Amino acid sequence: MALMLVKFDLKKRVKLAQTIWFLYWFAVMAGVLVFSMGLFFKIELRKRSELMDNNESHLLPNVLILMGLIACGVNAFGGKVCYDSLDPSKFIKWKPMLKPFLMFCVGFNGMLFVTALLCFVMRIPLQFTLAEGLKNGMRFYKDTDTPGRCYMKRTLDLMQMEFRCCGNDHYRDWFEIHRIGSNVDGQYLMDGVPFSCCNPSSPRPCIQGQMTNNTAHYSYDHYTEELNVWKRGCREAMVSYYGGLMNTIGALVLLVTMLEIAVTIGLQYINSSLSSLVNPEDPESESEGWILEKTVGETFTDIMANMKAMSKGGKVEEEAEAGVATVS
């Protein structure tokens, strides 16, 4: 018994082919969207690549770019097949390719779903990447004469101003990087932050140096004073920004996956309905279409049997080759 059997006449087949053709070209645009999102995300990561501890963060945008390109090619081919299915004389040339193509589409849909999941789970490794990258970047903040690090100060200052943040987890992280802390009452010999930590909307002039020294500033108590530097850590701010991007991209990729599944099912109905014409020489005759020719259980059993047969065939060939080698 076929899975989700549907009866077709010529009018229904034409309407189905036209609908799936339209959806395929819509899916091509969706592929362009996935490619564009991957490219945009890669550019956003490259802007602050000096603050990333490794290159693994570029895995996701690279996967998105690849999946977008594949989607464009697959959907353009599927659209052409749907268009030619309206003319049986043209469709017959595609018929031998359709089964492998549909199997590839199923695998591709699975990879798209995995890509969407990656968008949601990559937030976790991104936190560790940024934590270590920001720590190293802050340590080399003043190494403006060292090759490869001369732009670190500019990168960190722009990042702190853009994201309205200071330090890694807290503005006090800047006190730690100088490694000249004093053990007296937990005070630091160097307790300042860069100018980019200052909040420009504060009514008071920015206090960015000697922040824990009450005597260095007029009417100031760092224990009770509402400091005019950003309180939010930059790791939290950047994870929130990139995490929001990844969640949005993941949701869009899930929608694209649903569209791809829909057009794959539609193409399978077109293929099966044209293969089961009551009178193959009469295009107007009735036919039946299905998603699977057998039930799910029977299809799974057949696949396992084919895999076992292929495995046995491979062993027989190896034994035959071993026998020939022994004789020689």
Side-chain angles (χ1 to χ4, degrees):
M1 178 74 179
L3 179 66
M4 296 185 72
L5 187 69
V6 178
K7 293 189 178 295
F8 287 92
D9 54 21
L10 178 62
K11 186 178 179 180
K12 282 185 178 180
R13 284 195 299 269
V14 170
K15 189 174 181 179
L16 175 65
Q18 290 173 339
T19 303
I20 301 302
W21 174 84
F22 173 78
L23 288 177
Y24 259 121
W25 289 108
F26 189 71
V28 170
M29 300 307 298
V32 173
L33 177 63
V34 172
F35 172 82
S36 302
M37 289 188 297
L39 196 60
F40 171 75
F41 192 35
K42 190 174 183 69
I43 292 170
E44 285 296 297
L45 287 173
R46 280 198 174 276
K47 284 181 183 178
R48 302 166 190 93
S49 59
E50 294 170 319
L51 304 176
M52 305 287 178
D53 184 45
N54 54 51
N55 293 322
E56 292 176 6
S57 54
H58 292 276
L59 170 67
L60 180 57
N62 290 339
V63 171
L64 287 168
I65 290 170
L66 177 63
M67 297 304 285
L69 289 173
I70 295 175
C72 290
V74 167
N75 293 317
F77 179 82
K80 174 63 176 172
V81 172
C82 286
Y83 182 80
D84 285 349
S85 68
L86 297 172
D87 185 348
S89 62
K90 292 182 179 179
F91 179 75
I92 196 167
K93 67 180 179 182
W94 301 115
K95 199 170 180 180
M97 306 180 197
L98 273 184
K99 190 172 182 179
F101 176 70
L102 286 166
M103 291 177 67
F104 175 81
C105 287
V106 171
F108 175 67
N109 294 341
M111 290 189 291
L112 261 182
F113 181 72
V114 171
T115 303
L117 292 182
L118 270 179
C119 292
F120 296 113
V121 302
M122 284 296 286
R123 183 188 184 108
I124 299 170
L126 180 64
Q127 292 185 13
F128 296 104
T129 297
L130 284 171
E132 196 62 30
L134 284 167
K135 184 179 178 181
N136 292 333
M138 291 168 65
R139 194 165 71 244
F140 301 129
Y141 179 76
K142 292 187 176 180
D143 281 0
T144 53
D145 296 328
T146 306
R149 298 174 186 163
C150 53
Y151 293 107
M152 186 59 72
K153 181 179 185 301
R154 178 177 179 272
T155 301
L156 276 168
D157 284 335
L158 288 174
M159 181 264 298
Q160 292 190 141
M161 289 187 288
E162 180 180 353
F163 288 95
R164 299 184 174 187
C165 60
C166 186
N168 193 337
D169 295 310
H170 195 264
Y171 71 90
R172 286 180 175 270
D173 294 335
W174 283 106
F175 303 172
E176 301 279 357
I177 64 164
H178 302 290
R179 297 175 183 265
I180 55 174
S182 169
N183 292 324
V184 181
D185 295 326
Q187 298 296 310
Y188 291 90
L189 296 178
M190 199 166 220
D191 54 357
V193 297
F195 76 95
S196 52
C197 283
C198 293
N199 181 355
S201 62
S202 174
R204 177 171 181 158
C206 184
I207 296 175
Q208 64 179 98
Q210 300 186 59
M211 296 177 67
T212 59
N213 184 359
N214 291 338
T215 60
H217 311 283
Y218 173 74
S219 184
Y220 175 74
D221 182 357
H222 76 278
Y223 290 108
T224 59
E225 182 82 10
E226 183 66 28
L227 297 178
N228 48 10
V229 296
W230 302 117
K231 309 290 192 308
R232 191 185 193 191
C234 290
R235 178 175 63 159
E236 179 190 346
M238 292 181 72
V239 168
S240 177
Y241 172 69
Y242 286 120
L245 271 180
M246 288 189 289
N247 288 342
T248 302
I249 293 171
L252 288 172
V253 174
L254 276 178
L255 290 176
V256 173
T257 304
M258 293 170 64
L259 175 62
E260 293 289 347
I261 292 172
V263 294
T264 301
I265 291 173
L267 184 60
Q268 169 60 12
Y269 270 117
I270 291 172
N271 180 39
S272 55
S273 64
L274 288 173
S275 302
S276 63
L277 287 170
V278 175
N279 182 6
E281 296 181 0
D282 181 13
E284 297 187 9
S285 61
E286 293 186 348
S287 62
E288 294 179 340
W290 54 78
I291 294 178
L292 293 174
E293 193 170 359
K294 300 178 181 178
T295 63
V296 176
E298 291 171 341
T299 302
F300 180 76
T301 302
D302 288 347
I303 291 172
M304 295 302 296
N306 290 334
M307 290 177 66
K308 286 181 181 178
M310 290 173 64
S311 177
K312 288 180 181 179
K315 288 181 180 179
V316 169
E317 288 181 2
E318 289 177 3
E319 289 174 359
E321 291 177 358
V324 171
T326 304
V327 172
S328 60

